[in-house]
């Protein structure tokens, strides 16, 4: 069993829809959670960074963490074609950990 | 502009050859990393370095080697011992120490073995 599970999709939605992405994990020691966006043939860029359980909002993006269920989510409101990318979740146990555990990524297409 | 550069963008190698991928950063970050990305598998850590002249193996170091002679540079050599080297290679960097938020990635090098 992988330490971090993420449905690879692909996920296709019409412009303006809400995109819902999620990851589950097995290691209860994870406390720091990240979402990266990766455009085709590019390096990942950090979208959201959260600590422990709760919600964090940044513009059209909302990250949720439910540590009791070992489940994290990313929501994209009012999705745009420019949101078409692969979204990777990542997590670590301690703030100065050098090792991140990544999900496999979910590929999203927003149709105009 | 501060950032991470990787070169070349595309690299082709014949079986049995060693190749070196370049990674340079001007973010003044102490820590640097190399990842390999394969379809459906996410990112896997090859090597990382916390400071100059020091580096540690990641999860899949076999068939790879690195050096860290300068803070700005962390080249990766893919040796002929790496059985399946065709992949997308990503370099990353981060600040060091407590509260280091996360890692910032370069644009990647796509290596194809012919």
């Amino acid at each position: 069993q992988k330490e971090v599970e993420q449905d690879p999709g692909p996920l296709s939605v019409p412009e303006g829809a809400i995109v819902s992405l999620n990851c589950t994990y097995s290691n209860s020691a994870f406390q720091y959670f990240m979402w990266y966006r990766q455009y085709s043939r590019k390096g990942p860029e950090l979208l959201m960074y959260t600590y422990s359980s709760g919600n964090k909002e940044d513009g059209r993006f909302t990250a949720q963490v439910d540590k009791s269920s070992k489940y994290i989510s990313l929501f994209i409101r009012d999705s745009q074609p420019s949101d078409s990318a692969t979204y990777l979740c990542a997590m670590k146990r301690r703030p100065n950990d050098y090792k991140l555990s990544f999900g496999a990524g979910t590929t999203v297409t927003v149709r105009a | 502009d501060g950032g991470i550069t990787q070169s070349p963008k595309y690299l082709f190698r014949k079986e049995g050859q060693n190749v070196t991928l370049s990674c340079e950063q001007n973010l003044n970050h102490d820590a640097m990393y190399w990842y390999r990305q394969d379809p459906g598998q996410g990112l896997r850590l090859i090597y990382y370095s916390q400071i100059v002249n020091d580096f540690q193996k990641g999860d899949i170091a076999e068939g790879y080697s690195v050096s860290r002679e300068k803070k700005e540079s962390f080249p990766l050599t893919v040796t002929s011992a790496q059985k399946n080297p065709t992949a997308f290679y990503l370099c990353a960097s981060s600040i060091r120490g407590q509260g280091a938020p996360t890692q910032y990635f370069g644009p990647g090098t796509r290596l194809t073995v012919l």
Side-chain angles (χ1 to χ4, degrees):
Chain A
Q1 183 188 4
K2 291 181 181 178
E3 201 169 35
V4 181
E5 298 277 0
Q6 184 176 8
D7 186 338
L11 189 61
S12 180
V13 300
E15 185 175 356
I18 294 175
V19 177
S20 174
L21 304 166
N22 57 75
C23 290
T24 58
Y25 60 94
S26 57
N27 188 343
S28 58
F30 287 137
Q31 296 192 81
Y32 297 84
F33 304 91
M34 288 136 274
W35 285 96
Y36 284 86
R37 177 176 63 196
Q38 185 177 22
Y39 291 114
S40 181
R41 297 186 176 86
K42 303 289 187 184
E45 57 178 324
L46 180 67
L47 271 181
M48 301 285 281
Y49 177 72
T50 55
Y51 166 69
S52 196
S53 286
N55 293 0
K56 182 175 182 179
E57 191 172 315
D58 184 0
R60 296 184 296 111
F61 298 90
T62 300
Q64 289 184 351
V65 175
D66 181 350
K67 289 189 67 183
S68 62
S69 301
K70 298 193 189 72
Y71 188 91
I72 67 170
S73 301
L74 178 72
F75 299 97
I76 308 173
R77 291 184 299 281
D78 187 26
S79 58
Q80 305 295 311
S82 58
D83 295 324
S84 298
T86 296
Y87 292 81
L88 299 156
C89 64
M91 47 198 78
K92 61 181 179 179
R93 294 171 299 171
R94 293 177 292 266
N96 56 344
D97 272 355
Y98 288 90
K99 178 174 165 56
L100 296 180
S101 294
F102 283 87
T106 300
T107 299
V108 174
T109 300
V110 180
R111 308 185 306 271
Chain B
D1 286 334
I4 304 173
T5 57
Q6 291 185 242
S7 61
K9 189 173 181 179
Y10 298 97
L11 185 57
F12 298 90
R13 187 194 94 174
K14 292 182 180 178
E15 282 194 27
Q17 287 181 336
N18 292 357
V19 289
T20 298
L21 282 59
S22 169
C23 177
E24 304 274 334
Q25 55 98 1
N26 61 4
L27 300 167
N28 200 33
H29 286 170
D30 287 296
M32 297 186 73
Y33 314 78
W34 274 105
Y35 289 90
R36 170 182 172 137
Q37 187 175 31
D38 295 282
Q41 292 200 48
L43 275 64
R44 292 182 289 168
L45 183 64
I46 304 173
Y47 268 98
Y48 67 98
S49 168
Q50 300 177 39
I51 55 173
V52 173
N53 293 322
D54 184 62
F55 48 83
Q56 286 80 41
K57 293 182 179 180
D59 298 322
I60 55 164
E62 186 176 348
Y64 299 98
S65 66
V66 293
S67 62
R68 187 83 187 279
E69 297 176 2
K70 298 188 296 182
K71 186 176 182 178
E72 304 79 25
S73 178
F74 190 40
L76 173 74
T77 296
V78 184
T79 75
S80 57
Q82 169 49 232
K83 292 184 173 60
N84 185 19
T86 295
F88 190 48
Y89 290 87
L90 288 160
C91 179
S93 69
S94 72
I95 64 174
R96 183 174 173 235
Q98 191 77 12
T102 190
Q103 298 167 18
Y104 297 89
F105 287 85
T109 292
R110 185 165 299 278
L111 172 64
T112 302
V113 173
L114 304 172

